Amino acid sequence: MKIKQSCKVRQVAGENIILMQGRSGGDMTRVVSLNSTSLFLWDRLKDADFSAADVKALLLEQYEVSDEVAQRDADRWVADLKANGIIEE
Amino acid sequence: MTDSATYRIADRLFTVEGGQALRLLSAIEGFGIFRTDTPQREWVVRVGESLPAAGFSPLTDFDFADGEAHCHFGSIPGGYAFFMTDRDSGAEVFRLHYRGTSSADAFIPDTSHPHMPDFLRFGLWMAFSLFGAPLGILPVHSSVVVHKGQSVLFLGESGTGKSTHSRLWLDTFRADAVRLLNDDSPILSVSGPQILVHGSPWSGKTPCYHNRSFPLLAAVRLEQHKSNIISRLSPLEAFSALYPSCPPALMYDELHTDRIVSAVSAVVSAVPLYRLQCLPDADAARLCRKTIFNDL
């Protein structure tokens, strides 16, 4: 999977966000906020073709977490970004 | 000598050139009070006899108002194009090419189209949005009231009750000289030392046209609810509340997105934004005013 090239992280009100514009009309914007872990993953993966296993490996490399927690967080990160249309297969 | 009319809108000079367009404009309510006879020029829309389409890359398309037309916005070499097509025939009914920062060209293929006044009005709104964006001057989809010399914006999706809430303020605080400045598309300017809200010729279904401007005190995003609850939004929530009310057509390319993000960020760092979950009743207006003005 890949992060869509059209997605850009912007700094707003001290937060890192991605603006996802809907297909049409007003009030269709989704603001996705990235926490520091999410931003770390973003920076490492934004130009890569990656799998959930790569995400987990990055989490294990960067943070002192158990294999189980890394797996859970990696799956959740991928699911959240997919649900918001930020990641494509 | 070209026929032209100049309007002072949000402290900017907005000129429309071309006899056909001016005849149409003279029948459109709302523009008259913004008219000025200064010979100066700042932003000019030249409505000509033709405007060849060329090199259009679409960015977005959307329905116009009640769907009498479809709108198309995209880039062209050196700028942007906006055009509208008739819902039924697919024929082009309005075209605008914006290049550079001070002039745009427009073309009206069929001036006798029954919805033409509305199409032209909207086309000029798009032109104004394009001229204003680089300067932090943005139409905001909202209803705005003025109280004690300051303005309060009511934001929300279409059908949420922005106009209704404004009307509740007018009715509930009748004795306190609350006034409606605009009911659909006031202009926010973030370019000067303070954030101002300006009346405009674009006020939706409510004929409310005032050539006045007032400092922005607060903005309130409305949501329908079974009771009245108001809360102050965090900076990020405030951003998310205001951003979607900016011209949606301008959110599909990086240049305009950057401009709007910057203007909205400036607003949310300068004034408080609130979420008002509310019923369409006088108590909602009282709660809102009490919170914002810290009075009553």
Side-chain angles (χ1 to χ4, degrees), chain A residues 6-89:
Chain A
S6 59
C7 293
K8 181 182 169 186
V9 176
R10 297 164 192 278
Q11 279 75 44
V12 167
E15 310 257 3
N16 293 284
I17 64 158
I18 302 154
L19 293 168
M20 294 300 292
Q21 199 58 27
R23 251 301 285 144
S24 69
D27 287 289
M28 296 291 289
T29 320
R30 196 173 289 182
V31 179
V32 180
S33 172
L34 302 180
N35 65 14
S36 59
T37 307
S38 201
L39 187 65
F40 160 74
L41 293 173
W42 182 279
D43 286 339
R44 297 290 291 266
L45 296 169
K46 64 185 173 192
D47 298 315
D49 192 346
F50 62 93
S51 65
D54 296 327
V55 178
K56 179 184 168 186
L58 280 170
L59 289 174
L60 286 170
E61 171 195 314
Q62 182 74 6
Y63 302 97
E64 286 179 20
V65 291
S66 67
D67 195 85
E68 192 183 326
V69 168
Q71 181 71 56
R72 188 198 65 198
D73 288 357
D75 289 344
R76 190 184 293 166
W77 190 77
V78 168
D80 281 354
L81 264 52
K82 266 189 187 166
N84 284 292
I86 293 167
I87 286 180
E88 57 194 359
E89 291 300 330

Side-chain angles (χ1 to χ4, degrees), chain B residues 263-274:
Chain B
V264 171
S265 300
V267 174
V268 304
S269 61
V271 304
L273 273 87
Y274 299 87

